[in-house]
Amino acid sequence: MLVLLDRDGVLNEDRADFVKTPAELVMIAGAGAAVARLNAAGHLVAVVSNQSGVGRGLMSEDDLDAVHAALVSALGAAGGHLNALITCTDPPWAATARRKPGPGMLQEALDQFDIAPDQAVMIGDATRDLEAAAALGIRRILVRTGKGRTTEAKLPAALHPVTIHDDLAAAVTALMAEAAS
Ligand SMILES: [Mg+2]
């Protein structure tokens, strides 16, 4: 299985003003260990993340690289690793299909690992994560961290079915239980 993860609000705390430095990266409790459990079970894990802070000129590509080095380090400390870290720096006013809700990054991840959509799952906290997955027929899981509770309250019916969990750790526990049954 290919597990596609949104970044902000799933692995680390969301920030309205963007995570621009390693100091602003605050991991969500249990997220690193959840990634490690996916790794250990043989699943592929790919982050697909809008990072328009770059496209908006609020941070540089180097800043984003530094944040991602910190993310990889934090995951590693919990025994986890990412098989791919795919980002889109488009600003919203010049969005390509790569920027969620466009499905471009998710398609890139499927292509990179030669995975069919029905062998993938998207875990996100925002409507646009679920929209991108729905566009490709990828299964959708919403977590209540980050923007998740707001998203849950206004979830468009067209995006159903969506499975909802409190956080990534709970979502991974449920996925593991399925795989074992
Ligand atoms: Mg998010």
Side-chain angles (χ1 to χ4, degrees):
M1 179 166 58
L2 171 62
V3 181
L4 300 162
L5 301 177
D6 177 46
R7 194 195 81 179
D8 300 316
V10 176
L11 288 173
N12 56 271
E13 299 288 355
D14 190 61
R15 281 181 70 102
D17 65 343
F18 304 97
V19 178
K20 303 174 293 301
T21 65
E24 292 178 346
L25 183 79
V26 178
M27 298 299 291
I28 291 174
V35 170
R37 282 189 283 151
L38 291 170
N39 298 146
H43 300 304
L44 295 163
V45 181
V47 165
V48 286
S49 177
N50 285 358
Q51 290 301 328
S52 69
V54 176
R56 295 169 194 262
L58 300 173
M59 56 190 289
S60 68
E61 293 273 4
D62 285 348
D63 294 332
L64 185 59
D65 287 347
V67 169
H68 284 158
L71 175 69
V72 165
S73 175
L75 293 173
H81 71 270
L82 302 176
N83 299 98
L85 176 44
I86 301 171
T87 60
C88 176
T89 58
D90 296 346
W93 58 87
T96 66
R98 296 188 74 249
R99 177 175 163 81
K100 296 176 290 185
M105 287 191 288
L106 284 65
Q107 185 66 59
E108 287 173 22
L110 293 176
D111 292 346
Q112 180 174 341
F113 298 107
D114 195 22
I115 297 284
D118 66 354
Q119 295 302 308
V121 58
M122 174 78 214
I123 304 178
D125 70 313
T127 305
R128 63 190 177 199
D129 300 320
L130 308 175
E131 289 172 331
L136 296 176
I138 293 173
R139 183 180 166 193
R140 300 168 287 288
I141 295 177
L142 175 68
V143 287
R144 294 190 173 106
T145 47
K147 299 180 176 75
R149 288 184 188 279
T150 305
T151 302
E152 182 179 7
K154 59 175 177 65
L155 198 58
L159 294 178
H160 288 303
V162 175
T163 309
I164 304 175
H165 293 285
D166 281 349
D167 57 15
L168 181 61
V172 167
T173 296
L175 282 174
M176 296 297 200
E178 276 175 30
S181 65

